Amino acid sequence: MFLQPRTWDEALDDRAHHPDALPVAGGTDVLVDINVGRAHPDAVLDLTRVPSLREWSTGPDGARIGACVTYTELIAGFARPLPGLVMAARSVGSPPIRHRGTIGGNLGSASPAGDCHPPLLASGASVEVASVRGVRTVPVREFFLGPKRNALAADELISTVCAPAATGPQVFTKVGPRNAMVIAVCSFALALDPRRGVVGTGMGSVGPVPLVADGAAHFLEDHLEAAGLWRSREPLDPSVVGRFAELVVGAARPIDDVRGTAAYRRHALHVLARRSLQWCWDDYCGGAT
Amino acid sequence: MKVTVNGAVHHADVEPGESLLHLLRERLGLTGTKNACEQGECGSCVVLLDDVPVCACLVLAGQADGMTVTTIEGVAGPQGLHPVQQAFVDAGAIQCGFCTPGLVLATIDLLRHTPAPTDDDVREALAGNLCRCTGYQQVIEAVRLAARRSA
């Protein structure tokens, strides 16, 4: 059965009546599973014809991004409000993959390596999910339950990603064998929010789910506050940058797998965390907020 | 489903999990679109779907219902090869030829949006197209040549 709803209500109805139908947006993950024989769907729920899922808007408070907005569209539309997410979107696959792959599909697949996840975690984004029973909002940090498992109930679909607009520097960094076509060996996202004095982090491919490093974030928040650095914009002491990176690595739970060893991931994550903080802080000192 | 491929309308009954690549090659006999990795890693199956380059192996056939597809078979005109194809021939950018259809379609899309690409533009646009003969230098020269000729 090939279900192709034309409205959001129709999609939720299809989802409720056919909970075994495999939801598909851009298909860049789902089709891989089908092609290699990991998935044998008798029924598919194609979400690409639901107009509301293709919509997005940005305002002073942040962005609302429909689940079927592609990486290409993210890159074109969100450089100002969500620079970290745009850096991540730009690192996905190749142009043909970015033209098809979507932010909702990335969340739905819930891979620990999904590139959208670290910047969404770092910026404190949330996911709107819906069913015929109603709508609820799930913070991204509560959305991932395990490798490729997320908080969606059997009758729910992702409708929208809501992310606050950046008020300071954001970066996304990623390690892989080449620049393109890389599933992250590990990745890291950092978001500085000078208005609220908040530091946000996100890490990919270093645990069973995308992770945050709250201990590192709080350490840095306390230091920036106590030393008055948000206001003075003076350089960070290298020992602070090093301690931040250590705390980030301490929050990681990597394993050995085909893409890298746990030890390598810890090493690489330390480098990514250090560089990310240095780049963000240099950016902040340069006045670019 | 109904799909327009290279200007011709086709009707087909497809399986729910069937890829656009399978439809093109096995049902419509358009074997110019190559089947290699089936994971979006190699770019051998790149086609233009409503003028957007996509990996046909990662699109469900049913998702292309009502849309237009351009495969390598639809690129040449009555006058002969497409300028990008001719540039690939002239630059020696073809060795075994398996990656060529995907590279040509990806290049056509690149030059449509970026008529005078830098080498970095070319490398980024073609990053998802693997050539196992490793003839990348000639490919980049072919793109430069095609861009120069259409300037």
Side-chain angles (χ1 to χ4, degrees), chain A residues 177-267:
Chain A
R178 56 181 285 221
N179 278 340
M181 304 303 299
V182 159
I183 299 173
V185 175
C186 68
S187 60
F188 183 73
L190 182 64
L192 300 184
D193 181 349
R195 285 192 202 162
R196 295 189 302 135
V198 170
V199 173
T201 58
M203 314 186 269
S205 284
V206 290
V209 294
L211 297 169
V212 290
D214 284 341
H218 295 150
F219 160 78
L220 186 59
E221 286 167 359
D222 291 347
H223 176 77
L224 295 174
E225 181 65 35
L229 293 177
W230 287 118
R231 208 170 41 253
S232 71
R233 302 190 186 224
E234 284 168 12
L236 285 176
D237 190 283
S239 69
V240 171
V241 179
R243 181 64 185 147
F244 172 78
E246 272 171 27
L247 290 166
V248 167
V249 173
R253 291 183 276 145
I255 57 169
D256 295 343
D257 71 10
V258 289
R259 293 199 300 280
T261 63
Y264 176 75
R265 287 182 151 112
R266 283 197 189 88
H267 173 79

Coordinates of all heavy atoms in Angstrom, one line a residue, chain A residues 177-267:
Chain A
P177 N 36.2 10.9 7.1 CA 37.3 10.6 6.2 C 37.5 11.7 5.1 O 38.5 11.8 4.5 CB 37.0 9.2 5.6 CG 35.9 8.7 6.4 CD 35.2 9.8 7.1
R178 N 36.4 12.3 4.7 CA 36.5 13.4 3.7 C 35.5 14.5 4.0 O 34.7 14.3 4.9 CB 36.4 12.8 2.3 CG 35.1 12.1 2.0 CD 35.0 11.5 0.6 NE 34.7 12.6 -0.4 CZ 33.9 12.4 -1.4 NH1 33.2 11.3 -1.6 NH2 33.6 13.4 -2.2
N179 N 35.5 15.5 3.2 CA 34.6 16.7 3.5 C 33.2 16.3 3.2 O 32.2 16.7 3.9 CB 35.0 17.9 2.7 CG 36.1 18.7 3.4 OD1 36.3 18.5 4.6 ND2 36.8 19.5 2.6
A180 N 32.9 15.6 2.1 CA 31.6 15.3 1.6 C 31.3 13.8 2.0 O 32.1 13.0 2.3 CB 31.4 15.5 0.1
M181 N 30.0 13.5 1.9 CA 29.5 12.1 1.9 C 30.0 11.4 3.2 O 30.3 10.2 3.2 CB 30.1 11.3 0.7 CG 29.7 11.9 -0.6 SD 28.0 12.0 -0.9 CE 27.4 10.4 -0.7
V182 N 30.0 12.1 4.3 CA 30.5 11.6 5.5 C 29.4 11.4 6.6 O 28.7 12.3 6.9 CB 31.6 12.5 6.1 CG1 31.8 12.2 7.6 CG2 32.9 12.2 5.3
I183 N 29.3 10.2 7.1 CA 28.6 10.0 8.3 C 29.5 10.3 9.5 O 30.7 9.7 9.5 CB 28.0 8.5 8.4 CG1 27.1 8.2 7.3 CG2 27.3 8.3 9.8 CD1 26.7 6.8 7.2
A184 N 29.1 11.1 10.4 CA 30.1 11.6 11.4 C 30.8 10.5 12.2 O 30.1 9.6 12.6 CB 29.4 12.6 12.3
V185 N 32.1 10.5 12.3 CA 32.8 9.7 13.2 C 32.5 10.2 14.6 O 32.3 9.5 15.6 CB 34.3 9.7 12.9 CG1 35.1 8.9 14.0 CG2 34.5 9.1 11.5
C186 N 32.6 11.6 14.7 CA 32.0 12.3 15.9 C 31.7 13.7 15.4 O 32.3 14.2 14.4 CB 32.9 12.2 17.1 SG 34.4 13.1 17.0
S187 N 30.8 14.3 16.1 CA 30.5 15.7 15.8 C 30.2 16.5 17.1 O 29.9 15.9 18.1 CB 29.3 15.8 14.8 OG 28.2 15.2 15.4
F188 N 30.3 17.8 16.9 CA 30.1 18.7 18.1 C 29.4 20.0 17.7 O 29.8 20.5 16.6 CB 31.4 18.9 18.8 CG 31.3 19.7 20.1 CD1 30.7 19.2 21.2 CD2 31.7 21.1 20.1 CE1 30.6 19.9 22.4 CE2 31.5 21.8 21.3 CZ 31.0 21.2 22.4
A189 N 28.5 20.5 18.4 CA 27.9 21.8 18.2 C 27.9 22.6 19.4 O 27.8 22.1 20.5 CB 26.4 21.6 17.7
L190 N 28.2 23.9 19.2 CA 28.2 24.8 20.3 C 27.4 26.1 20.0 O 27.5 26.5 18.8 CB 29.7 25.2 20.6 CG 29.9 26.2 21.8 CD1 29.6 25.5 23.1 CD2 31.4 26.6 21.8
A191 N 26.6 26.5 20.9 CA 25.9 27.8 20.7 C 26.0 28.7 21.9 O 25.8 28.2 23.1 CB 24.4 27.4 20.5
L192 N 26.5 29.9 21.7 CA 26.6 30.9 22.8 C 25.4 31.8 22.8 O 25.1 32.4 21.7 CB 27.9 31.6 22.7 CG 29.2 30.8 22.7 CD1 30.4 31.8 22.6 CD2 29.3 29.9 23.9
D193 N 24.8 32.0 23.9 CA 23.7 32.9 24.0 C 24.0 34.0 25.0 O 23.7 33.9 26.2 CB 22.4 32.1 24.5 CG 21.2 33.0 24.6 OD1 21.3 34.2 24.5 OD2 20.1 32.4 24.8
P194 N 24.7 35.1 24.5 CA 25.1 36.1 25.4 C 24.0 36.8 26.1 O 24.2 37.3 27.3 CB 25.9 37.1 24.5 CG 25.9 36.5 23.2 CD 25.0 35.4 23.1
R195 N 22.8 36.9 25.5 CA 21.7 37.6 26.2 C 21.3 37.0 27.5 O 20.9 37.7 28.4 CB 20.5 37.7 25.2 CG 20.8 38.7 24.1 CD 19.5 39.0 23.4 NE 19.9 39.6 22.1 CZ 19.1 39.6 21.0 NH1 17.8 39.1 21.1 NH2 19.5 40.1 19.9
R196 N 21.3 35.7 27.5 CA 20.8 35.0 28.7 C 22.0 34.4 29.4 O 21.8 33.7 30.5 CB 19.9 33.8 28.3 CG 18.5 34.3 27.7 CD 17.5 33.2 27.5 NE 18.1 32.1 26.7 CZ 18.0 30.8 27.0 NH1 17.4 30.4 28.1 NH2 18.5 29.9 26.2
G197 N 23.2 34.5 28.9 CA 24.4 34.0 29.6 C 24.4 32.5 29.5 O 24.8 31.8 30.5
V198 N 23.9 31.9 28.5 CA 23.7 30.4 28.4 C 24.6 29.9 27.3 O 24.8 30.5 26.2 CB 22.2 30.1 28.1 CG1 22.1 28.6 27.7 CG2 21.4 30.5 29.2
V199 N 25.2 28.7 27.6 CA 26.0 27.9 26.6 C 25.3 26.7 26.3 O 24.8 25.9 27.2 CB 27.4 27.6 27.3 CG1 28.2 26.7 26.4 CG2 28.2 28.9 27.6
G200 N 25.2 26.4 25.0 CA 24.5 25.1 24.6 C 25.5 24.2 23.9 O 26.3 24.7 23.1
T201 N 25.3 22.9 24.1 CA 26.2 21.9 23.5 C 25.4 20.8 22.9 O 24.2 20.6 23.3 CB 27.2 21.3 24.5 OG1 26.4 20.6 25.5 CG2 28.1 22.3 25.1
G202 N 26.0 20.1 21.9 CA 25.4 18.9 21.4 C 26.5 18.0 20.8 O 27.5 18.6 20.2
M203 N 26.4 16.7 20.9 CA 27.4 15.8 20.4 C 26.8 14.7 19.6 O 25.7 14.2 20.0 CB 28.2 15.2 21.5 CG 28.6 16.2 22.6 SD 29.7 15.3 23.8 CE 28.5 14.8 25.0
G204 N 27.4 14.3 18.5 CA 26.9 13.2 17.7 C 27.9 12.1 17.6 O 29.1 12.3 17.7
S205 N 27.4 10.9 17.4 CA 28.2 9.7 17.2 C 29.2 9.4 18.4 O 30.2 8.7 18.2 CB 29.1 9.8 15.9 OG 28.3 9.6 14.8
V206 N 28.8 9.8 19.6 CA 29.7 9.5 20.7 C 28.8 8.9 21.8 O 29.2 9.0 23.0 CB 30.5 10.7 21.3 CG1 31.6 11.1 20.3 CG2 29.6 11.9 21.5
G207 N 27.7 8.3 21.5 CA 26.9 7.6 22.4 C 25.7 7.0 21.7 O 25.6 7.1 20.5
P208 N 24.8 6.3 22.5 CA 23.7 5.6 21.9 C 22.7 6.6 21.3 O 21.9 6.2 20.4 CB 23.1 4.8 23.0 CG 23.6 5.5 24.3 CD 24.9 6.1 23.9
V209 N 22.7 7.8 21.8 CA 21.8 8.9 21.3 C 22.7 10.1 21.2 O 23.8 10.2 21.7 CB 20.6 9.2 22.2 CG1 19.7 8.0 22.3 CG2 21.1 9.5 23.6
P210 N 22.2 11.1 20.4 CA 22.9 12.4 20.5 C 22.9 13.0 21.9 O 21.9 12.9 22.6 CB 22.1 13.3 19.5 CG 21.3 12.3 18.6 CD 21.1 11.1 19.5
L211 N 24.0 13.5 22.3 CA 24.1 13.9 23.8 C 24.4 15.4 23.9 O 24.8 16.0 23.0 CB 25.3 13.1 24.4 CG 25.2 11.6 24.4 CD1 26.5 10.9 24.8 CD2 24.1 11.1 25.4
V212 N 24.1 15.8 25.1 CA 24.5 17.2 25.5 C 25.6 17.0 26.6 O 25.8 16.0 27.2 CB 23.4 18.0 26.1 CG1 22.4 18.4 25.0 CG2 22.7 17.3 27.2
A213 N 26.4 18.1 26.7 CA 27.5 18.1 27.7 C 27.2 19.2 28.7 O 27.8 20.3 28.7 CB 28.9 18.3 27.1
D214 N 26.2 19.0 29.6 CA 25.7 20.1 30.5 C 26.8 20.5 31.5 O 26.9 21.7 31.8 CB 24.5 19.6 31.3 CG 23.2 19.6 30.4 OD1 23.3 20.3 29.4 OD2 22.3 18.9 30.8
G215 N 27.6 19.5 31.9 CA 28.7 19.9 32.9 C 29.7 20.9 32.3 O 30.0 21.9 32.9
A216 N 30.0 20.6 31.0 CA 30.9 21.5 30.3 C 30.3 22.9 30.1 O 30.9 24.0 30.3 CB 31.3 20.9 29.0
A217 N 29.0 22.9 29.7 CA 28.3 24.1 29.5 C 28.2 25.0 30.8 O 28.4 26.2 30.7 CB 26.9 23.8 28.9
H218 N 27.8 24.3 31.9 CA 27.7 25.0 33.1 C 29.0 25.6 33.6 O 29.1 26.7 34.1 CB 27.0 24.2 34.2 CG 25.6 23.8 33.8 ND1 25.0 22.6 34.2 CD2 24.7 24.5 33.1 CE1 23.8 22.6 33.8 NE2 23.6 23.7 33.1
F219 N 30.1 24.8 33.4 CA 31.4 25.3 33.8 C 31.7 26.5 33.1 O 32.2 27.5 33.6 CB 32.5 24.2 33.5 CG 33.9 24.7 33.4 CD1 34.6 25.0 34.5 CD2 34.4 24.9 32.1 CE1 35.9 25.5 34.4 CE2 35.7 25.4 32.0 CZ 36.4 25.8 33.1
L220 N 31.5 26.5 31.8 CA 31.8 27.7 30.9 C 30.9 28.9 31.3 O 31.4 30.0 31.4 CB 31.7 27.3 29.5 CG 32.1 28.4 28.5 CD1 33.6 28.8 28.7 CD2 31.9 27.9 27.0
E221 N 29.6 28.6 31.5 CA 28.7 29.7 31.9 C 29.2 30.4 33.2 O 29.2 31.6 33.3 CB 27.3 29.1 32.1 CG 26.5 28.8 30.9 CD 25.3 28.0 31.1 OE1 25.0 27.6 32.3 OE2 24.6 27.6 30.2
D222 N 29.5 29.5 34.2 CA 30.0 30.1 35.5 C 31.2 30.9 35.3 O 31.4 32.0 35.9 CB 30.3 28.9 36.5 CG 29.0 28.2 36.9 OD1 27.9 28.8 36.6 OD2 29.1 27.1 37.5
H223 N 32.2 30.4 34.5 CA 33.4 31.1 34.3 C 33.2 32.5 33.6 O 33.7 33.5 34.0 CB 34.4 30.3 33.5 CG 35.7 31.0 33.2 ND1 36.7 31.2 34.1 CD2 36.1 31.7 32.1 CE1 37.6 31.9 33.6 NE2 37.3 32.2 32.3
L224 N 32.4 32.4 32.5 CA 32.1 33.7 31.8 C 31.5 34.7 32.6 O 31.8 35.9 32.6 CB 31.3 33.3 30.5 CG 31.9 32.4 29.5 CD1 30.9 32.1 28.4 CD2 33.1 33.1 28.8
E225 N 30.6 34.2 33.5 CA 29.8 35.1 34.4 C 30.7 35.7 35.4 O 30.8 36.9 35.6 CB 28.7 34.3 35.0 CG 27.8 35.1 36.0 CD 27.0 36.2 35.2 OE1 26.6 36.0 34.1 OE2 26.9 37.3 35.8
A226 N 31.5 34.8 36.1 CA 32.3 35.2 37.2 C 33.4 36.2 36.8 O 33.8 37.1 37.5 CB 32.9 34.0 37.9
A227 N 34.0 35.9 35.6 CA 35.1 36.7 35.1 C 34.6 37.9 34.3 O 35.4 38.7 33.8 CB 36.0 35.9 34.2
G228 N 33.3 38.1 34.2 CA 32.7 39.2 33.4 C 33.0 39.2 32.0 O 33.1 40.3 31.3
L229 N 33.3 38.0 31.4 CA 33.7 38.0 30.0 C 32.6 38.2 29.0 O 32.9 38.7 27.9 CB 34.4 36.6 29.7 CG 35.7 36.4 30.5 CD1 36.3 35.0 30.2 CD2 36.7 37.5 30.1
W230 N 31.4 37.9 29.3 CA 30.3 38.2 28.4 C 30.4 39.7 28.0 O 30.1 40.1 26.9 CB 28.9 37.9 29.0 CG 28.6 36.5 29.1 CD1 28.3 35.8 30.2 CD2 28.4 35.5 28.0 NE1 27.9 34.5 29.9 CE2 28.0 34.3 28.6 CE3 28.5 35.6 26.6 CZ2 27.7 33.1 27.9 CZ3 28.2 34.4 25.9 CH2 27.8 33.2 26.5
R231 N 30.7 40.5 29.1 CA 30.7 42.0 28.9 C 32.0 42.5 28.3 O 32.0 43.2 27.4 CB 30.3 42.7 30.2 CG 29.7 44.0 30.0 CD 29.1 44.7 31.3 NE 30.0 44.5 32.4 CZ 29.8 43.7 33.4 NH1 28.7 42.9 33.4 NH2 30.6 43.6 34.4
S232 N 33.1 42.0 28.9 CA 34.4 42.5 28.4 C 34.9 42.0 27.1 O 35.7 42.6 26.4 CB 35.4 42.2 29.5 OG 35.7 40.8 29.5
R233 N 34.4 40.8 26.7 CA 34.8 40.1 25.5 C 36.3 40.0 25.4 O 36.9 40.1 24.3 CB 34.3 40.9 24.2 CG 32.8 41.1 24.2 CD 32.3 41.6 22.9 NE 30.8 41.9 23.0 CZ 29.9 41.5 22.0 NH1 30.4 40.9 20.9 NH2 28.7 41.8 22.2
E234 N 36.9 39.7 26.5 CA 38.4 39.5 26.5 C 38.6 38.0 26.1 O 37.7 37.2 26.3 CB 38.9 39.8 27.9 CG 39.1 41.3 28.1 CD 39.4 41.6 29.6 OE1 39.7 40.7 30.4 OE2 39.3 42.8 29.9
P235 N 39.9 37.7 25.7 CA 40.2 36.4 25.3 C 40.0 35.4 26.4 O 40.2 35.7 27.6 CB 41.6 36.4 24.8 CG 41.9 37.9 24.5 CD 41.0 38.7 25.4
L236 N 39.7 34.1 26.1 CA 39.6 33.1 27.1 C 41.0 32.5 27.4 O 41.8 32.4 26.5 CB 38.8 31.9 26.5 CG 37.3 32.1 26.4 CD1 36.7 30.8 25.7 CD2 36.7 32.3 27.8
D237 N 41.2 32.2 28.7 CA 42.4 31.6 29.1 C 42.5 30.1 28.5 O 41.5 29.4 28.5 CB 42.5 31.5 30.6 CG 43.9 31.0 31.1 OD1 44.2 29.8 31.0 OD2 44.6 31.9 31.5
P238 N 43.6 29.7 27.9 CA 43.7 28.4 27.3 C 43.3 27.3 28.3 O 42.8 26.3 27.8 CB 45.1 28.3 26.8 CG 45.6 29.7 26.7 CD 44.8 30.5 27.7
S239 N 43.6 27.5 29.5 CA 43.2 26.4 30.5 C 41.7 26.3 30.6 O 41.2 25.2 30.9 CB 43.8 26.8 31.9 OG 43.2 27.9 32.4
V240 N 41.0 27.4 30.4 CA 39.5 27.3 30.4 C 39.0 26.5 29.2 O 38.1 25.6 29.3 CB 38.9 28.7 30.5 CG1 37.4 28.6 30.3 CG2 39.3 29.4 31.8
V241 N 39.6 26.8 28.1 CA 39.2 26.1 26.8 C 39.5 24.6 27.0 O 38.7 23.7 26.7 CB 39.9 26.7 25.6 CG1 39.6 25.9 24.3 CG2 39.6 28.1 25.5
G242 N 40.7 24.3 27.6 CA 41.1 22.9 27.8 C 40.2 22.2 28.7 O 39.8 21.0 28.5
R243 N 39.8 22.9 29.8 CA 38.9 22.3 30.8 C 37.5 22.0 30.2 O 36.9 21.0 30.5 CB 38.8 23.2 32.0 CG 37.9 22.6 33.2 CD 38.5 21.3 33.8 NE 37.6 20.8 34.8 CZ 37.5 19.5 35.0 NH1 38.2 18.6 34.3 NH2 36.7 19.0 35.9
F244 N 37.1 23.0 29.4 CA 35.8 22.8 28.8 C 35.8 21.5 27.9 O 34.9 20.7 28.0 CB 35.5 24.0 27.9 CG 34.3 23.9 27.0 CD1 33.0 24.0 27.5 CD2 34.4 23.6 25.7 CE1 31.9 23.9 26.7 CE2 33.3 23.5 24.8 CZ 32.0 23.6 25.4
A245 N 36.9 21.4 27.1 CA 37.0 20.2 26.2 C 37.0 18.9 27.0 O 36.4 17.9 26.6 CB 38.2 20.4 25.3
E246 N 37.7 18.9 28.1 CA 37.8 17.7 29.0 C 36.4 17.4 29.5 O 36.0 16.2 29.5 CB 38.7 18.0 30.2 CG 40.1 17.7 30.0 CD 40.9 18.3 31.2 OE1 40.4 18.3 32.4 OE2 42.1 18.6 31.0
L247 N 35.7 18.4 29.9 CA 34.3 18.1 30.4 C 33.4 17.6 29.3 O 32.5 16.7 29.6 CB 33.7 19.3 31.1 CG 34.4 19.7 32.4 CD1 34.0 21.1 32.8 CD2 34.1 18.7 33.5
V248 N 33.6 18.1 28.1 CA 32.8 17.6 27.0 C 33.1 16.1 26.8 O 32.2 15.3 26.7 CB 33.1 18.4 25.7 CG1 32.5 17.7 24.5 CG2 32.5 19.8 25.8
V249 N 34.4 15.8 26.8 CA 34.7 14.4 26.5 C 34.2 13.5 27.7 O 33.7 12.4 27.4 CB 36.3 14.2 26.4 CG1 36.7 12.8 26.4 CG2 36.8 15.0 25.2
G250 N 34.2 14.0 28.9 CA 33.7 13.3 30.0 C 32.2 12.9 29.9 O 31.8 12.0 30.5
A251 N 31.5 13.7 29.1 CA 30.0 13.5 29.0 C 29.8 12.5 27.8 O 28.6 12.1 27.7 CB 29.3 14.8 28.7
A252 N 30.8 12.2 27.1 CA 30.6 11.3 25.9 C 30.6 9.8 26.4 O 31.2 9.5 27.4 CB 31.7 11.5 24.9
R253 N 29.9 9.0 25.6 CA 29.9 7.6 25.9 C 30.1 6.8 24.6 O 29.3 6.0 24.1 CB 28.5 7.2 26.5 CG 28.3 7.7 27.9 CD 26.9 7.3 28.4 NE 25.8 8.1 28.0 CZ 24.6 7.7 27.8 NH1 24.3 6.4 27.9 NH2 23.7 8.5 27.4
P254 N 31.3 7.0 24.0 CA 31.5 6.4 22.7 C 31.8 4.9 22.7 O 32.2 4.4 23.8 CB 32.7 7.1 22.2 CG 33.5 7.5 23.4 CD 32.4 7.8 24.4
I255 N 31.6 4.2 21.6 CA 31.9 2.8 21.5 C 32.8 2.6 20.3 O 33.0 3.5 19.4 CB 30.7 1.9 21.3 CG1 29.9 2.4 20.0 CG2 29.8 1.9 22.5 CD1 28.8 1.4 19.6
D256 N 33.5 1.5 20.2 CA 34.2 1.1 19.0 C 33.2 0.6 18.0 O 32.4 -0.2 18.3 CB 35.2 -0.1 19.3 CG 36.3 0.2 20.3 OD1 36.5 1.4 20.5 OD2 36.9 -0.7 20.8
D257 N 33.3 1.1 16.7 CA 32.5 0.6 15.7 C 33.2 0.8 14.3 O 34.4 1.1 14.3 CB 31.0 1.1 15.7 CG 31.0 2.6 15.2 OD1 32.0 3.1 14.7 OD2 29.9 3.2 15.3
V258 N 32.5 0.5 13.2 CA 33.1 0.5 11.9 C 33.7 1.9 11.6 O 34.7 1.9 10.8 CB 32.2 0.1 10.8 CG1 31.9 -1.4 10.9 CG2 30.9 0.9 10.8
R259 N 33.2 2.9 12.1 CA 33.7 4.2 11.7 C 34.8 4.8 12.6 O 35.5 5.7 12.3 CB 32.5 5.2 11.7 CG 31.5 4.9 10.6 CD 30.6 6.1 10.3 NE 29.9 6.6 11.4 CZ 28.7 6.1 11.9 NH1 28.2 5.1 11.2 NH2 28.1 6.6 12.9
G260 N 35.0 4.1 13.8 CA 36.1 4.6 14.6 C 36.1 3.9 16.0 O 35.1 3.3 16.3
T261 N 37.2 4.1 16.7 CA 37.3 3.5 18.0 C 36.8 4.5 19.0 O 36.8 5.7 18.8 CB 38.7 3.1 18.4 OG1 39.5 4.3 18.4 CG2 39.3 2.1 17.4
A262 N 36.4 4.0 20.2 CA 36.0 4.9 21.3 C 37.1 5.9 21.6 O 36.9 7.1 21.9 CB 35.6 4.1 22.5
A263 N 38.4 5.3 21.7 CA 39.5 6.2 22.1 C 39.7 7.3 21.0 O 40.0 8.4 21.4 CB 40.8 5.3 22.2
Y264 N 39.6 6.9 19.8 CA 39.8 8.0 18.7 C 38.7 9.0 18.9 O 38.9 10.2 18.7 CB 39.8 7.3 17.3 CG 39.8 8.4 16.3 CD1 41.0 9.1 16.0 CD2 38.7 8.8 15.6 CE1 41.1 10.1 15.1 CE2 38.7 9.8 14.6 CZ 39.9 10.4 14.4 OH 40.0 11.5 13.5
R265 N 37.5 8.5 19.1 CA 36.3 9.5 19.2 C 36.5 10.5 20.4 O 36.3 11.7 20.2 CB 35.0 8.7 19.4 CG 34.6 8.0 18.1 CD 33.3 7.3 18.3 NE 32.5 7.2 17.1 CZ 32.2 6.1 16.4 NH1 32.7 5.0 16.9 NH2 31.6 6.1 15.3
R266 N 37.0 9.9 21.5 CA 37.3 10.8 22.6 C 38.3 11.9 22.3 O 38.2 13.1 22.6 CB 37.8 10.0 23.9 CG 36.7 9.3 24.6 CD 37.0 8.9 26.0 NE 36.0 8.0 26.5 CZ 36.0 6.7 26.3 NH1 37.0 6.1 25.7 NH2 35.0 6.0 26.8
H267 N 39.4 11.4 21.6 CA 40.5 12.3 21.2 C 39.9 13.4 20.2 O 40.1 14.6 20.4 CB 41.6 11.5 20.5 CG 42.6 12.4 19.9 ND1 43.6 13.0 20.7 CD2 42.8 12.8 18.6 CE1 44.4 13.8 19.9 NE2 43.9 13.7 18.7

